[in-house]
PDB file of all heavy atoms in Angstrom:
ATOM      1  N   ARG A  19      12.091  -1.034   2.311  1.00  0.00           N
ATOM      2  CA  ARG A  19      12.684  -0.094   3.311  1.00  0.00           C
ATOM      3  C   ARG A  19      11.814   0.006   4.550  1.00  0.00           C
ATOM      4  O   ARG A  19      12.288   0.392   5.589  1.00  0.00           O
ATOM      5  CB  ARG A  19      12.856   1.283   2.692  1.00  0.00           C
ATOM      6  CG  ARG A  19      13.915   1.330   1.600  1.00  0.00           C
ATOM      7  CD  ARG A  19      13.976   2.710   0.960  1.00  0.00           C
ATOM      8  NE  ARG A  19      12.725   3.005   0.259  1.00  0.00           N
ATOM      9  CZ  ARG A  19      12.443   4.181  -0.310  1.00  0.00           C
ATOM     10  NH1 ARG A  19      13.310   5.162  -0.253  1.00  0.00           N
ATOM     11  NH2 ARG A  19      11.302   4.369  -0.916  1.00  0.00           N
ATOM     12  N   PHE A  20      10.528  -0.314   4.407  1.00  0.00           N
ATOM     13  CA  PHE A  20       9.615  -0.240   5.569  1.00  0.00           C
ATOM     14  C   PHE A  20       9.778  -1.495   6.389  1.00  0.00           C
ATOM     15  O   PHE A  20       9.197  -2.541   6.097  1.00  0.00           O
ATOM     16  CB  PHE A  20       8.151  -0.069   5.089  1.00  0.00           C
ATOM     17  CG  PHE A  20       7.923   1.240   4.434  1.00  0.00           C
ATOM     18  CD1 PHE A  20       8.010   1.400   3.079  1.00  0.00           C
ATOM     19  CD2 PHE A  20       7.621   2.366   5.215  1.00  0.00           C
ATOM     20  CE1 PHE A  20       7.794   2.620   2.475  1.00  0.00           C
ATOM     21  CE2 PHE A  20       7.399   3.615   4.605  1.00  0.00           C
ATOM     22  CZ  PHE A  20       7.507   3.727   3.261  1.00  0.00           C
ATOM     23  N   LEU A  21      10.592  -1.383   7.400  1.00  0.00           N
ATOM     24  CA  LEU A  21      10.893  -2.534   8.256  1.00  0.00           C
ATOM     25  C   LEU A  21      10.087  -2.502   9.525  1.00  0.00           C
ATOM     26  O   LEU A  21       9.770  -1.415  10.032  1.00  0.00           O
ATOM     27  CB  LEU A  21      12.399  -2.559   8.594  1.00  0.00           C
ATOM     28  CG  LEU A  21      13.361  -2.673   7.422  1.00  0.00           C
ATOM     29  CD1 LEU A  21      14.784  -2.529   7.921  1.00  0.00           C
ATOM     30  CD2 LEU A  21      13.134  -3.987   6.704  1.00  0.00           C
ATOM     31  N   GLN A  22       9.785  -3.643  10.035  1.00  0.00           N
ATOM     32  CA  GLN A  22       9.102  -3.809  11.299  1.00  0.00           C
ATOM     33  C   GLN A  22       7.699  -3.189  11.253  1.00  0.00           C
ATOM     34  O   GLN A  22       6.921  -3.522  10.392  1.00  0.00           O
ATOM     35  CB  GLN A  22       9.941  -3.284  12.446  1.00  0.00           C
ATOM     36  CG  GLN A  22      11.292  -3.936  12.612  1.00  0.00           C
ATOM     37  CD  GLN A  22      11.212  -5.437  12.850  1.00  0.00           C
ATOM     38  OE1 GLN A  22      10.229  -5.987  13.308  1.00  0.00           O
ATOM     39  NE2 GLN A  22      12.310  -6.142  12.567  1.00  0.00           N
ATOM     40  N   TYR A  23       7.443  -2.211  12.140  1.00  0.00           N
ATOM     41  CA  TYR A  23       6.081  -1.779  12.331  1.00  0.00           C
ATOM     42  C   TYR A  23       5.793  -0.447  11.661  1.00  0.00           C
ATOM     43  O   TYR A  23       6.502   0.533  11.827  1.00  0.00           O
ATOM     44  CB  TYR A  23       5.795  -1.651  13.856  1.00  0.00           C
ATOM     45  CG  TYR A  23       4.330  -1.477  14.074  1.00  0.00           C
ATOM     46  CD1 TYR A  23       3.489  -2.573  14.171  1.00  0.00           C
ATOM     47  CD2 TYR A  23       3.769  -0.220  14.169  1.00  0.00           C
ATOM     48  CE1 TYR A  23       2.144  -2.434  14.352  1.00  0.00           C
ATOM     49  CE2 TYR A  23       2.421  -0.065  14.341  1.00  0.00           C
ATOM     50  CZ  TYR A  23       1.607  -1.151  14.441  1.00  0.00           C
ATOM     51  OH  TYR A  23       0.265  -1.020  14.579  1.00  0.00           O
ATOM     52  N   GLY A  24       4.713  -0.368  10.919  1.00  0.00           N
ATOM     53  CA  GLY A  24       4.174   0.869  10.414  1.00  0.00           C
ATOM     54  C   GLY A  24       4.487   1.206   8.981  1.00  0.00           C
ATOM     55  O   GLY A  24       5.628   1.141   8.539  1.00  0.00           O
ATOM     56  N   PHE A  25       3.434   1.561   8.254  1.00  0.00           N
ATOM     57  CA  PHE A  25       3.466   2.085   6.897  1.00  0.00           C
ATOM     58  C   PHE A  25       3.842   1.086   5.827  1.00  0.00           C
ATOM     59  O   PHE A  25       3.948   1.462   4.661  1.00  0.00           O
ATOM     60  CB  PHE A  25       4.391   3.329   6.827  1.00  0.00           C
ATOM     61  CG  PHE A  25       3.832   4.515   7.562  1.00  0.00           C
ATOM     62  CD1 PHE A  25       4.194   4.727   8.876  1.00  0.00           C
ATOM     63  CD2 PHE A  25       2.925   5.358   6.987  1.00  0.00           C
ATOM     64  CE1 PHE A  25       3.663   5.792   9.582  1.00  0.00           C
ATOM     65  CE2 PHE A  25       2.374   6.433   7.666  1.00  0.00           C
ATOM     66  CZ  PHE A  25       2.778   6.640   8.991  1.00  0.00           C
ATOM     67  N   ASN A  26       4.025  -0.158   6.146  1.00  0.00           N
ATOM     68  CA  ASN A  26       4.341  -1.153   5.113  1.00  0.00           C
ATOM     69  C   ASN A  26       3.170  -1.360   4.166  1.00  0.00           C
ATOM     70  O   ASN A  26       3.311  -1.189   2.957  1.00  0.00           O
ATOM     71  CB  ASN A  26       4.872  -2.449   5.724  1.00  0.00           C
ATOM     72  CG  ASN A  26       3.985  -2.971   6.811  1.00  0.00           C
ATOM     73  OD1 ASN A  26       2.893  -2.459   7.068  1.00  0.00           O
ATOM     74  ND2 ASN A  26       4.441  -3.989   7.518  1.00  0.00           N
ATOM     75  N   ARG A  27       2.031  -1.714   4.664  1.00  0.00           N
ATOM     76  CA  ARG A  27       0.850  -1.925   3.793  1.00  0.00           C
ATOM     77  C   ARG A  27       0.285  -0.592   3.331  1.00  0.00           C
ATOM     78  O   ARG A  27      -0.251  -0.496   2.234  1.00  0.00           O
ATOM     79  CB  ARG A  27      -0.208  -2.757   4.515  1.00  0.00           C
ATOM     80  CG  ARG A  27       0.174  -4.223   4.554  1.00  0.00           C
ATOM     81  CD  ARG A  27      -0.884  -5.148   5.190  1.00  0.00           C
ATOM     82  NE  ARG A  27      -0.975  -4.865   6.609  1.00  0.00           N
ATOM     83  CZ  ARG A  27      -2.109  -4.509   7.241  1.00  0.00           C
ATOM     84  NH1 ARG A  27      -3.245  -4.382   6.568  1.00  0.00           N
ATOM     85  NH2 ARG A  27      -2.126  -4.286   8.530  1.00  0.00           N
ATOM     86  N   ILE A  28       0.399   0.460   4.119  1.00  0.00           N
ATOM     87  CA  ILE A  28      -0.093   1.762   3.696  1.00  0.00           C
ATOM     88  C   ILE A  28       0.688   2.228   2.474  1.00  0.00           C
ATOM     89  O   ILE A  28       0.107   2.743   1.504  1.00  0.00           O
ATOM     90  CB  ILE A  28       0.039   2.796   4.860  1.00  0.00           C
ATOM     91  CG1 ILE A  28      -0.950   2.459   5.977  1.00  0.00           C
ATOM     92  CG2 ILE A  28      -0.193   4.210   4.355  1.00  0.00           C
ATOM     93  CD1 ILE A  28      -0.770   3.312   7.220  1.00  0.00           C
ATOM     94  N   SER A  29       2.001   2.058   2.478  1.00  0.00           N
ATOM     95  CA  SER A  29       2.813   2.506   1.349  1.00  0.00           C
ATOM     96  C   SER A  29       2.469   1.690   0.085  1.00  0.00           C
ATOM     97  O   SER A  29       2.371   2.255  -1.004  1.00  0.00           O
ATOM     98  CB  SER A  29       4.305   2.393   1.672  1.00  0.00           C
ATOM     99  OG  SER A  29       4.693   1.055   1.889  1.00  0.00           O
ATOM    100  N   GLN A  30       2.256   0.402   0.251  1.00  0.00           N
ATOM    101  CA  GLN A  30       1.919  -0.435  -0.888  1.00  0.00           C
ATOM    102  C   GLN A  30       0.575  -0.017  -1.501  1.00  0.00           C
ATOM    103  O   GLN A  30       0.454   0.118  -2.709  1.00  0.00           O
ATOM    104  CB  GLN A  30       1.886  -1.909  -0.488  1.00  0.00           C
ATOM    105  CG  GLN A  30       1.535  -2.878  -1.599  1.00  0.00           C
ATOM    106  CD  GLN A  30       2.653  -3.097  -2.590  1.00  0.00           C
ATOM    107  OE1 GLN A  30       3.807  -2.851  -2.309  1.00  0.00           O
ATOM    108  NE2 GLN A  30       2.304  -3.583  -3.737  1.00  0.00           N
ATOM    109  N   ALA A  31      -0.411   0.195  -0.657  1.00  0.00           N
ATOM    110  CA  ALA A  31      -1.740   0.582  -1.147  1.00  0.00           C
ATOM    111  C   ALA A  31      -1.672   1.977  -1.805  1.00  0.00           C
ATOM    112  O   ALA A  31      -2.325   2.241  -2.812  1.00  0.00           O
ATOM    113  CB  ALA A  31      -2.772   0.569  -0.024  1.00  0.00           C
ATOM    114  N   CYS A  32      -0.908   2.856  -1.207  1.00  0.00           N
ATOM    115  CA  CYS A  32      -0.724   4.204  -1.767  1.00  0.00           C
ATOM    116  C   CYS A  32      -0.143   4.119  -3.158  1.00  0.00           C
ATOM    117  O   CYS A  32      -0.632   4.789  -4.105  1.00  0.00           O
ATOM    118  CB  CYS A  32       0.163   5.008  -0.828  1.00  0.00           C
ATOM    119  SG  CYS A  32       0.667   6.636  -1.419  1.00  0.00           S
ATOM    120  N   GLU A  33       0.900   3.284  -3.340  1.00  0.00           N
ATOM    121  CA  GLU A  33       1.495   3.177  -4.648  1.00  0.00           C
ATOM    122  C   GLU A  33       0.530   2.504  -5.653  1.00  0.00           C
ATOM    123  O   GLU A  33       0.480   2.929  -6.840  1.00  0.00           O
ATOM    124  CB  GLU A  33       2.805   2.412  -4.620  1.00  0.00           C
ATOM    125  CG  GLU A  33       3.482   2.357  -5.980  1.00  0.00           C
ATOM    126  CD  GLU A  33       4.917   2.054  -5.978  1.00  0.00           C
ATOM    127  OE1 GLU A  33       5.499   1.774  -4.940  1.00  0.00           O
ATOM    128  OE2 GLU A  33       5.509   2.096  -7.093  1.00  0.00           O
ATOM    129  N   LEU A  34      -0.217   1.515  -5.232  1.00  0.00           N
ATOM    130  CA  LEU A  34      -1.194   0.922  -6.115  1.00  0.00           C
ATOM    131  C   LEU A  34      -2.177   1.995  -6.616  1.00  0.00           C
ATOM    132  O   LEU A  34      -2.514   2.064  -7.819  1.00  0.00           O
ATOM    133  CB  LEU A  34      -1.953  -0.181  -5.402  1.00  0.00           C
ATOM    134  CG  LEU A  34      -1.223  -1.476  -5.148  1.00  0.00           C
ATOM    135  CD1 LEU A  34      -2.001  -2.342  -4.171  1.00  0.00           C
ATOM    136  CD2 LEU A  34      -0.974  -2.233  -6.452  1.00  0.00           C
ATOM    137  N   HIS A  35      -2.622   2.828  -5.705  1.00  0.00           N
ATOM    138  CA  HIS A  35      -3.523   3.937  -6.063  1.00  0.00           C
ATOM    139  C   HIS A  35      -2.892   4.851  -7.075  1.00  0.00           C
ATOM    140  O   HIS A  35      -3.495   5.165  -8.102  1.00  0.00           O
ATOM    141  CB  HIS A  35      -3.922   4.660  -4.762  1.00  0.00           C
ATOM    142  CG  HIS A  35      -4.639   5.919  -4.994  1.00  0.00           C
ATOM    143  ND1 HIS A  35      -5.924   5.983  -5.475  1.00  0.00           N
ATOM    144  CD2 HIS A  35      -4.261   7.209  -4.787  1.00  0.00           C
ATOM    145  CE1 HIS A  35      -6.301   7.248  -5.558  1.00  0.00           C
ATOM    146  NE2 HIS A  35      -5.313   8.015  -5.157  1.00  0.00           N
ATOM    147  N   MET A  36      -1.678   5.273  -6.798  1.00  0.00           N
ATOM    148  CA  MET A  36      -0.974   6.185  -7.711  1.00  0.00           C
ATOM    149  C   MET A  36      -0.756   5.550  -9.095  1.00  0.00           C
ATOM    150  O   MET A  36      -0.797   6.235 -10.109  1.00  0.00           O
ATOM    151  CB  MET A  36       0.397   6.581  -7.134  1.00  0.00           C
ATOM    152  CG  MET A  36       0.337   7.504  -5.940  1.00  0.00           C
ATOM    153  SD  MET A  36      -0.035   9.188  -6.350  1.00  0.00           S
ATOM    154  CE  MET A  36       1.406   9.664  -7.294  1.00  0.00           C
ATOM    155  N   ALA A  37      -0.536   4.253  -9.118  1.00  0.00           N
ATOM    156  CA  ALA A  37      -0.280   3.522 -10.367  1.00  0.00           C
ATOM    157  C   ALA A  37      -1.556   3.249 -11.165  1.00  0.00           C
ATOM    158  O   ALA A  37      -1.503   2.686 -12.252  1.00  0.00           O
ATOM    159  CB  ALA A  37       0.444   2.213 -10.082  1.00  0.00           C
ATOM    160  N   GLY A  38      -2.691   3.644 -10.594  1.00  0.00           N
ATOM    161  CA  GLY A  38      -3.972   3.504 -11.340  1.00  0.00           C
ATOM    162  C   GLY A  38      -4.769   2.253 -11.017  1.00  0.00           C
ATOM    163  O   GLY A  38      -5.772   1.981 -11.699  1.00  0.00           O
ATOM    164  N   PHE A  39      -4.395   1.524  -9.976  1.00  0.00           N
ATOM    165  CA  PHE A  39      -5.140   0.328  -9.626  1.00  0.00           C
ATOM    166  C   PHE A  39      -6.475   0.705  -8.950  1.00  0.00           C
ATOM    167  O   PHE A  39      -6.585   1.758  -8.355  1.00  0.00           O
ATOM    168  CB  PHE A  39      -4.330  -0.569  -8.667  1.00  0.00           C
ATOM    169  CG  PHE A  39      -3.334  -1.419  -9.371  1.00  0.00           C
ATOM    170  CD1 PHE A  39      -2.142  -0.887  -9.785  1.00  0.00           C
ATOM    171  CD2 PHE A  39      -3.604  -2.753  -9.624  1.00  0.00           C
ATOM    172  CE1 PHE A  39      -1.200  -1.669 -10.440  1.00  0.00           C
ATOM    173  CE2 PHE A  39      -2.671  -3.543 -10.268  1.00  0.00           C
ATOM    174  CZ  PHE A  39      -1.462  -2.982 -10.694  1.00  0.00           C
ATOM    175  N   ARG A  40      -7.437  -0.196  -9.097  1.00  0.00           N
ATOM    176  CA  ARG A  40      -8.743  -0.051  -8.446  1.00  0.00           C
ATOM    177  C   ARG A  40      -8.818  -1.115  -7.354  1.00  0.00           C
ATOM    178  O   ARG A  40      -8.138  -2.158  -7.419  1.00  0.00           O
ATOM    179  CB  ARG A  40      -9.873  -0.242  -9.459  1.00  0.00           C
ATOM    180  CG  ARG A  40      -9.841   0.881 -10.484  1.00  0.00           C
ATOM    181  CD  ARG A  40     -10.762   0.718 -11.669  1.00  0.00           C
ATOM    182  NE  ARG A  40     -11.854  -0.200 -11.554  1.00  0.00           N
ATOM    183  CZ  ARG A  40     -12.249  -1.007 -12.559  1.00  0.00           C
ATOM    184  NH1 ARG A  40     -11.648  -1.008 -13.710  1.00  0.00           N
ATOM    185  NH2 ARG A  40     -13.269  -1.787 -12.393  1.00  0.00           N
ATOM    186  N   PHE A  41      -9.682  -0.880  -6.360  1.00  0.00           N
ATOM    187  CA  PHE A  41      -9.791  -1.760  -5.222  1.00  0.00           C
ATOM    188  C   PHE A  41     -11.226  -2.333  -5.190  1.00  0.00           C
ATOM    189  O   PHE A  41     -12.185  -1.606  -5.016  1.00  0.00           O
ATOM    190  CB  PHE A  41      -9.522  -0.985  -3.915  1.00  0.00           C
ATOM    191  CG  PHE A  41      -8.114  -0.474  -3.836  1.00  0.00           C
ATOM    192  CD1 PHE A  41      -7.772   0.739  -4.382  1.00  0.00           C
ATOM    193  CD2 PHE A  41      -7.116  -1.231  -3.234  1.00  0.00           C
ATOM    194  CE1 PHE A  41      -6.482   1.230  -4.305  1.00  0.00           C
ATOM    195  CE2 PHE A  41      -5.819  -0.754  -3.170  1.00  0.00           C
ATOM    196  CZ  PHE A  41      -5.493   0.477  -3.684  1.00  0.00           C
ATOM    197  N   ALA A  42     -11.327  -3.648  -5.370  1.00  0.00           N
ATOM    198  CA  ALA A  42     -12.619  -4.347  -5.355  1.00  0.00           C
ATOM    199  C   ALA A  42     -12.710  -5.232  -4.132  1.00  0.00           C
ATOM    200  O   ALA A  42     -11.874  -6.106  -3.896  1.00  0.00           O
ATOM    201  CB  ALA A  42     -12.756  -5.211  -6.620  1.00  0.00           C
ATOM    202  N   VAL A  43     -13.704  -4.973  -3.281  1.00  0.00           N
ATOM    203  CA  VAL A  43     -13.876  -5.737  -2.058  1.00  0.00           C
ATOM    204  C   VAL A  43     -14.619  -7.037  -2.365  1.00  0.00           C
ATOM    205  O   VAL A  43     -15.643  -7.033  -3.052  1.00  0.00           O
ATOM    206  CB  VAL A  43     -14.665  -4.908  -0.990  1.00  0.00           C
ATOM    207  CG1 VAL A  43     -14.908  -5.707   0.262  1.00  0.00           C
ATOM    208  CG2 VAL A  43     -13.929  -3.625  -0.692  1.00  0.00           C
ATOM    209  N   LEU A  44     -14.060  -8.113  -1.864  1.00  0.00           N
ATOM    210  CA  LEU A  44     -14.672  -9.426  -2.068  1.00  0.00           C
ATOM    211  C   LEU A  44     -15.711  -9.701  -0.980  1.00  0.00           C
ATOM    212  O   LEU A  44     -15.552  -9.298   0.169  1.00  0.00           O
ATOM    213  CB  LEU A  44     -13.627 -10.542  -2.022  1.00  0.00           C
ATOM    214  CG  LEU A  44     -12.594 -10.531  -3.151  1.00  0.00           C
ATOM    215  CD1 LEU A  44     -11.566 -11.650  -2.957  1.00  0.00           C
ATOM    216  CD2 LEU A  44     -13.269 -10.674  -4.513  1.00  0.00           C
TER     217      LEU A  44
END
């Protein structure tokens, strides 16, 4: 639903966080 500009990657990262994912920087 996030088309064009804004909140596309923010929404994905937010959901990953809510789902319990961790973020490891390479």
Side-chain angles (χ1 to χ4, degrees):
R19 293 176 294 174
F20 292 94
L21 299 175
Q22 301 300 339
Y23 192 85
F25 292 93
N26 48 9
R27 284 184 291 123
I28 291 173
S29 64
Q30 179 75 19
C32 173
E33 183 161 5
L34 288 167
H35 170 69
M36 289 284 295
F39 279 79
R40 296 171 20 219
F41 297 87
V43 178
L44 294 178

